[in-house]
Amino acid sequence: MSTPSVISVIDDDASVRAATNNLLSSHGYLVHAFASAEEFLQSARLDDSSCVIADVQMPAMSGLDLLTHMRAQGYGAPFIFITAFPEENVRARALKAGATCFLAKPFAAPELITCVEGALKRHHGESGK
């Protein structure tokens, strides 16, 4: 039996973190939730995350800034963005920066699961792991 993929959820809204955690856990993923990009960057989960789900707009460091920072540090984990403000220019920037999906809140549970499964398949296919 393979070990479950580790999904890191980063959102400053506790209810979104809890709901996303519950959804992903019910699909067999190991979930770690963080209230901010900084909290995630300082955690021990940085290296074992198979996929990152991050809010775009957060205090201090945005989701886009986090993605840019992580790519600059050599982290290749797929990124899925969730946002309450789905502006087209932000979506375009996120996808150009390497995001796998860009979902508007409130998103449908199957939509997020499809994004996660697709991101993990593509990522594992590219890395050969």
Side-chain angles (χ1 to χ4, degrees):
M1 187 170 146
S2 64
T3 56
S5 295
V6 176
I7 313 293
S8 290
V9 176
I10 307 158
D11 196 307
D12 56 323
D13 183 329
S15 62
V16 171
R17 285 196 308 275
T20 307
N21 185 342
N22 292 342
L23 171 65
L24 294 168
S25 296
S26 74
H27 281 79
Y29 296 107
L30 183 58
V31 183
H32 298 289
F34 303 91
S36 69
E38 296 83 358
E39 185 182 321
F40 172 64
L41 288 171
Q42 293 164 6
S43 78
R45 299 290 163 223
L46 194 58
D47 292 324
D48 65 4
S49 292
S50 305
C51 181
V52 175
I53 299 172
D55 190 5
V56 173
Q57 294 193 332
M58 295 183 286
M61 182 182 251
S62 74
L64 281 171
D65 290 341
L66 174 63
L67 172 58
T68 304
H69 174 80
M70 288 189 65
R71 290 295 183 262
Q73 300 297 317
Y75 290 100
F79 256 73
I80 295 169
F81 283 114
I82 54 178
T83 183
F85 307 97
E87 297 161 6
E88 188 50 46
N89 64 330
V90 177
R91 181 180 186 278
R93 281 179 43 218
L95 295 174
K96 186 175 182 201
T100 304
C101 286
F102 189 91
L103 301 176
K105 295 176 187 175
F107 48 82
E111 200 177 7
L112 180 62
I113 295 303
T114 299
C115 279
V116 170
E117 288 171 351
L120 292 171
K121 274 192 191 115
R122 280 194 296 279
H123 183 64
H124 291 306
E126 289 170 13
S127 65
K129 287 182 186 168

